[in-house]
C-alpha cells in the first residue's frame, strides 16, 4: 500500500470541498484533496449532454431514493462535484431560514447577518451576475406567464462571468476554487475513492483510499492526516462516516426538493442550450417554479412521462421546453451504508402534504405555462392527461398520486446536521463531528433542512464560515 | 445486459438504423453497469421475473414478436405496482435519451 502524509485531508471537491481546500491552502495549511471522480476539462462536453452524463455524473445519473414513490436524483462525480453539472443558479439562503435553523438547532454565530457577509465574499470571488442581454425564449416564457397572472417572478443571478460579447462561462469549482487551491500549494488527487477513515482514541489518523490509474489499474493508498474534512455531499458524506464506524445522528433526516415536470409545447421555437434563469417565486418558500435542461433527449423523456406515444410531439421538439415545480418537503429520508457495497441505500418518505403540494405545484406550473402561450402540456404523471386549457389542469389533481407521479431532485441536504443540540445533530456549530477532535464535515450535509432554493450559495457561505473558525481555533 | 433487457431495449427503440440501435444498446448497457449495486440487483431480479413471464406468454402463443412486447411494456408502464411501472419507465427513459442524444451528436 502506498502512503502519504498531509496536514489537512479534504475529501470531495464540490462546492464545500473546493472552498475548504482553497481557504485552508491560502491560509498556509498543507492541503490534499481527494476526489472520487475524474478531472474533466470543463469545456470538453456540452452541458447536460449524454457525454457529460457519462463523464461527470455519479452512476450516470441513474440513482434513486427508494420510497413511495421512488425519487430519482443526480449528483456530480468529478473534480468540482455537482457545480460542474448544475445550472449555476445562485440564491442566498433566505434570511428567515438562517434564523429558524439557528434557533431550532442552537447554531452559534449563525443567522442572516453573518451568512450575508460570507455570501458577499463568495459572490465577489466567483462572479455572480444576471444576463447582460434579454432572456432566452424559454426563460422569457416564465416571466411572461407569471406577469400575466400577477405572480411574483425574478431572474435569478447565476455563477457566471460574461465577456464583452455577452458569452457566459459558468464559474464551476474546477474553474475557480480548485485552481486557487492548487496555486496555493494544495495537491488534488482525482480518481481516488476513500474506503474508510482510520480512527484512534477520538481522533481520525488518516484515510484508506483506492486510487484508479488511467490504465484502469487500482492501488490502495493510505493518507495520514492531522485533520480530515469530509465534503462528499449529502449522500456520500454520511455513507463514508458510517463505513468508518461513526453513526450517531449520521445519515438520518435526509431532506430534498422533490420535483415534478412539464414538457410545454409552444407555437414557436425555444432555446435548448441553457436552463431558464427566471423563477416564479409567488409560492415561496414551499413551492418554486422554474425551467430545466431541455435538450432533445430531455424533451423526449419528459414527453414520455405522460404518454408513450411521442412521435407526433417530437416532430416539433424545437418548440418544446421542460419546466419544473419543486417543493420543500415535510418528509425525510435516510442514508445507510451497506457492508460490501459501494453505493449506500437511500430511502425517502413523502408525506400526504407533500403529495398535495406536488399536485398544487403541477397545476400552478401548468397555469403559468398556459398564460405564457404554451399550447400543450405533458406532465410527469403516467397517463397524463395532456392539457391544452385550464379545464384540463383540473384533471391533474386526481392523477398526481404516489402510483402515477414520476419525481426527481438535484438538491439533497441534512444528513449530518450542525448545531449545539447534540440530540439532533451529527456535528457541532462549525461542522466538527461530535466526539472527534479533528474530523469535520463541510458540505450540504450540514444544512439542517431543505433550503428551498439552489443550495450552492448556502453551502459555499457556510463552508467559508467554518474554515474561518477552523483557522482561528486550530 | 441480460437477454430480456436487450429484448426490452430493442422493443422500445424506434430507430430503424441498425447502427443507432447498437449504439443505444451499448449506452443502456453502460448505464446498467454504472448503476448502484443494489439497484442493479433489483433490476436484474425484475428482469428474470418478467423475462420468465414473457417466455411463458410466448410459449402459450399469447405474445408474438417485438410489437406485442412493446404493447405489453406500454401496459406495464401504467401499472399500479410501482416497481413494474418504474422498470419500464427506466428503460424507456434510457432508450429515448440515448436515441435522441445520439442522433443529435451524429448531426
Amino acid at each position: 500500500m502506498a502512503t502519504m502524509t498531509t496536514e489537512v485531508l479534504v475529501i470531495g471537491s464540490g462546492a464545500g470541498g473546493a472552498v475548504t481546500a482553497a481557504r485552508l491552502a491560502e491560509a498556509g495549511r498543507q492541503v490534499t484533496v481527494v476526489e472520487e471522480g475524474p478531472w474533466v476539462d470543463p469545456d470538453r462536453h456540452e452541458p447536460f449532454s449524454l457525454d457529460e452524463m457519462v463523464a461527470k455524473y455519479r452512476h450516470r445519473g441513474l440513482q434513486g431514493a427508494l420510497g413511495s414513490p421512488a425519487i430519482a436524483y443526480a449528483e456530480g462525480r468529478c473534480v468540482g462535484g455537482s457545480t460542474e453539472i448544475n445550472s449555476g443558479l445562485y440564491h442566498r439562503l433566505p434570511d428567515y431560514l438562517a434564523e429558524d435553523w439557528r434557533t431550532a438547532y442552537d447554531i452559534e454565530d449563525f443567522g442572516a447577518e453573518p451568512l450575508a457577509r460570507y455570501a458577499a465574499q463568495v459572490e465577489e470571488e466567483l462572479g455572480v451576475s444576471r444576463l447582460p442581454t434579454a432572456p432566452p425564449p424559454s426563460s422569457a416564457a416564465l416571466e411572461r406567464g407569471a406577469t400575466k397572472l400577477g405572480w411574483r417572478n425574478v431572474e435569478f443571478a447565476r455563477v457566471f462571468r460574461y465577456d464583452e460579447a455577452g458569452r457566459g462561462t459558468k464559474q464551476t469549482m474546477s474553474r475557480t476554487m480548485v485552481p486557487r487551491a492548487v496555486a496555493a500549494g494544495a495537491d488534488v488527487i482525482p480518481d481516488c475513492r476513500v474506503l474508510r477513515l482510520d480512527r484512534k482514541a477520538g481522533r481520525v489518523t488518516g484515510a484508506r483510499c483506492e486510487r484508479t490509474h488511467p490504465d484502469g489499474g487500482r492501488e490502495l493508498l493510505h493518507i495520514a492526516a492531522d485533520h480530515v474534512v469530509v465534503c462528499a455531499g449529502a449522500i456520500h458524506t454520511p455513507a463514508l462516516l458510517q463505513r468508518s464506524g461513526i453513526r450517531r445522528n449520521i445519515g438520518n433526516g435526509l431532506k430534498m426538493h422533490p420535483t415534478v415536470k412539464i414538457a410545454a409545447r409552444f407555437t414557436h421555437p425555444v432555446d435548448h442550450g441553457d436552463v431558464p434563469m427566471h423563477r416564479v417565486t409567488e409560492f415561496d418558500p414551499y413551492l418554486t417554479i422554474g425551467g430545466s435542461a431541455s435538450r432533445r433527449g430531455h424533451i423526449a423523456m419528459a414527453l414520455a412521462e405522460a404518454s408513450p406515444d411521442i412521435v407526433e410531439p417530437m416532430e416539433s421538439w424545437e418548440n418544446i421546453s421542460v419546466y419544473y415545480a419543486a417543493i420543500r418537503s415535510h418528509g425525510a429520508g435516510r442514508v445507510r451504508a451497506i457492508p460490501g457495497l459501494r453505493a449506500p441505500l437511500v430511502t425517502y418518505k413523502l408525506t400526504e402534504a407533500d403529495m398535495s403540494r406536488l399536485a398544487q405545484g403541477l397545476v400552478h406550473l401548468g397555469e403559468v405555462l398556459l398564460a405564457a402561450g404554451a399550447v400543450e402540456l405533458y406532465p410527469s404523471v403516467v397517463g397524463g392527461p395532456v392539457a391544452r386549457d385550464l379545464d384540463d389542469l383540473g384533471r391533474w389533481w386526481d392523477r398526481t398520486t404516489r402510483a402515477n407521479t414520476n419525481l426527481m431532485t438535484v438538491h439533497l441536504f441534512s444528513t449530518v446536521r450542525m448545531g449545539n443540540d447534540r440530540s439532533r445533530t451529527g456535528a457541532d456549530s462549525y461542522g466538527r463531528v461530535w466526539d472527534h477532535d479533528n474530523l469535520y464535515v463541510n458540505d450540504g450535509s450540514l444544512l439542517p433542512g431543505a433550503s428551498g432554493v439552489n443550495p450552492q450559495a448556502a453551502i459555499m457561505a457556510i463552508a467559508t464560515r467554518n474554515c474561518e473558525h477552523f483557522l482561528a481555533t486550530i | 445486459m441480460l437477454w430480456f433487457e436487450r429484448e426490452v431495449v430493442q422493443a422500445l427503440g424506434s430507430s430503424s438504423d441498425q447502427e443507432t440501435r447498437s449504439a443505444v444498446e451499448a449506452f443502456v448497457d453502460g448505464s446498467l453497469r454504472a448503476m448502484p449495486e443494489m439497484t442493479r440487483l433489483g433490476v436484474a431480479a425484475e428482469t428474470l421475473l418478467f423475462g420468465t413471464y414473457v417466455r411463458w406468454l410466448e410459449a402459450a402463443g399469447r405474445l408474438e414478436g417485438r410489437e406485442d412486447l412493446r404493447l405489453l411494456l406500454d401496459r406495464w408502464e401504467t401499472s399500479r405496482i410501482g416497481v413494474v411501472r418504474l422498470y419500464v419507465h427506466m428503460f424507456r427513459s434510457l432508450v429515448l435519451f440515448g436515441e435522441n442524444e445520439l442522433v443529435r451528436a451524429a448531426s
Side-chain angles (χ1 to χ4, degrees), chain A residues 59 295-297 342 403 406, chain B residues 34 36-37 85 89 100-101 104:
Chain A
H59 302 300
R295 291 172 63 93
R296 184 174 163 149
R342 294 168 78 92
N406 291 320
Chain B
E37 303 100 323
R85 177 170 68 81
H89 178 66
N100 284 278
E101 288 300 307
R104 187 187 173 103

Side-chain angles (χ1 to χ4, degrees), chain A residues 194-210:
Chain A
V194 178
L195 303 174
R196 60 171 293 139
L197 305 174
D198 288 331
R199 298 188 299 147
K200 193 173 180 182
R203 289 183 66 81
V204 171
T205 56
R208 288 171 190 273
C209 312
E210 182 184 67

